[in-house]
């Protein structure tokens, strides 16, 4: 029933405006129009309070000595924290635990292969899968249960801290760019900056990391190489490489 479906996927039944049962896919599902997140009521300061409270038991010891035997850059993108994939024929399983293991592996490789170097981490957007569960039609169907709103921001920040950044020896700076999945509204016209990435950056800075954030583009000069950080979804990314460089 529609009630059981809503209970399973944590969708408030009273906020379902309309639904249609789809049966031609083998496993039936409901196509739902729901107002379970009201974009116009989102308060960034309230979310910051929730995130700050969740991070209060964590900290980063930035007082550790940092070696200066050269610098390297570790670039990661499209973490899609909160996405859930299982039992698909052509797509590998994916969930929070798998992502945590991947981030752990990155830190181990960096510490093993690049010991003695200062490590800068570039995070190029799409940190989360969805803040509202409504980025696209039925986006919520591919989410791990409960991974929307402030909860997904809190846990994404904690996982980045615990499973990647705090494990890297001689960590330098952290640079963050927003992606199109990082908006806090379902309509991309209402949040053009991708405020989830901003909130995660703020949380990491709160923990003690040296963080620089920009919604669209950053440049970072490391070892005489000028890195240009983009996600690829905005206007500047559509320019030619030459125009972006100049």
């Amino acid at each position: 029933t529609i009630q059981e479906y809503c209970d399973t996927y944590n969708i408030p039944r009273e906020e379902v405006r309309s639904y249609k049962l789809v049966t031609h896919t083998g496993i039936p599902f409901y196509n739902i129009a729901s107002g379970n997140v009201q974009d116009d009521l989102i308060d960034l300061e309230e979310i910051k309070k929730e995130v700050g409270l969740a991070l209060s038991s964590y900290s980063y010891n930035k007082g550790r000595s940092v070696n200066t035997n050269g610098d390297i850059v570790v670039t990661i993108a499209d973490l899609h924290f909160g996405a859930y994939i299982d039992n698909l024929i052509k797509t590998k399983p994916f969930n929070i635990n798998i992502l945590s293991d991947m981030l752990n592996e990155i830190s181990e490789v960096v510490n093993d292969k690049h010991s003695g170097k200062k490590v800068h981490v570039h995070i190029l957007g799409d940190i989360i899968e969805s803040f509202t569960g409504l980025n696209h039609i039925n986006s919520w169907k591919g989410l791990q249960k409960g991974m929307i709103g402030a909860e997904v921001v809190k846990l994404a920040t904690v996982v980045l801290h615990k499973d990647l950044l705090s494990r890297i020896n001689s960590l330098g700076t952290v640079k963050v760019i927003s992606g199109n999945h990082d908006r806090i509204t379902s309509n991309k016209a209402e949040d053009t900056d991708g405020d989830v990435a901003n909130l995660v950056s703020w949380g990491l800075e709160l923990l003690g990391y040296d963080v620089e954030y920009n919604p669209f583009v950053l440049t970072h000069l490391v070892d005489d190489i000028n890195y240009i950080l983009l996600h690829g979804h905005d206007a500047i990314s559509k320019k030619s490489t030459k125009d972006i460089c100049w």
Side-chain angles (χ1 to χ4, degrees):
T1 67
I2 185 63
Q3 183 62 58
E4 292 169 331
Y5 201 73
C6 288
D7 291 343
T8 298
Y9 290 103
N10 199 27
I11 303 169
R13 174 64 182 89
E14 66 276 7
E15 294 177 2
V16 174
R17 300 190 303 273
S18 63
Y19 62 89
K20 177 182 178 181
L21 181 61
V22 180
T23 59
H24 65 269
T25 54
I27 299 176
F29 67 89
Y30 286 99
N31 195 333
I32 292 175
S34 172
N36 59 333
V37 175
Q38 298 183 49
D39 294 343
D40 58 340
L41 297 181
I42 292 174
D43 186 331
L44 286 179
E45 291 306 314
E46 285 299 317
I47 297 174
K48 278 188 175 182
K49 288 180 183 178
E50 284 195 49
V51 173
L53 184 62
L55 297 179
S56 60
S57 59
Y58 300 95
S59 64
Y60 171 63
N61 180 16
K62 61 181 178 180
R64 296 180 302 176
S65 61
V66 176
N67 295 308
T68 56
N69 182 24
D71 295 59
I72 69 161
V73 169
V74 174
T75 302
I76 60 175
D78 298 278
L79 302 179
H80 292 276
F81 186 94
Y84 183 81
I85 300 171
D86 195 21
N87 294 324
L88 294 183
I89 295 174
K90 295 185 178 181
T91 306
K92 292 181 179 180
F94 185 80
N95 57 44
I96 292 171
N97 291 332
I98 292 173
L99 177 58
S100 297
D101 290 342
M102 288 177 169
L103 294 174
N104 259 299
E105 185 178 352
I106 291 171
S107 67
E108 291 172 1
V109 170
V110 169
N111 290 336
D112 181 49
K113 302 293 185 182
H114 302 283
S115 177
K117 295 186 182 294
K118 184 188 292 184
V119 181
H120 305 278
V121 176
H122 293 173
I123 304 174
L124 305 188
D126 281 0
I127 297 173
I128 69 163
E129 175 66 9
S130 179
F131 184 89
T132 63
L134 300 170
N135 287 35
H136 307 288
I137 295 174
N138 287 329
S139 293
W140 52 270
K141 284 170 45 184
L143 294 177
Q144 203 152 340
K145 188 173 182 180
M147 287 297 99
I148 59 172
E151 196 64 25
V152 71
V153 178
K154 290 186 288 187
L155 289 179
T157 308
V158 169
V159 167
L160 278 169
H161 162 64
K162 289 181 62 179
D163 294 314
L164 178 67
L165 299 176
S166 67
R167 294 176 178 269
I168 293 178
N169 299 332
S170 303
L171 182 70
T173 59
V174 180
K175 310 290 184 179
V176 182
I177 292 289
S178 292
N180 51 301
H181 277 253
D182 294 323
R183 64 179 185 263
I184 62 173
T185 60
S186 56
N187 187 335
K188 63 183 179 181
E190 294 174 4
D191 176 12
T192 58
D193 289 349
D195 277 326
V196 168
N198 189 10
L199 288 164
V200 170
S201 301
W202 174 84
L204 292 174
E205 194 170 20
L206 198 65
L207 292 175
Y209 292 98
D210 182 0
V211 182
E212 183 179 7
Y213 162 78
N214 188 278
F216 307 114
V217 59
L218 283 171
T219 62
H220 186 200
L221 186 65
V222 180
D223 198 20
D224 292 330
I225 299 172
N226 188 43
Y227 293 81
I228 303 175
L229 286 65
L230 301 162
H231 178 70
H233 68 297
D234 51 17
I236 190 173
S237 301
K238 311 304 179 186
K239 295 178 180 291
S240 69
T241 302
K242 181 186 76 172
D243 288 341
I244 290 173
C245 289
W246 285 107

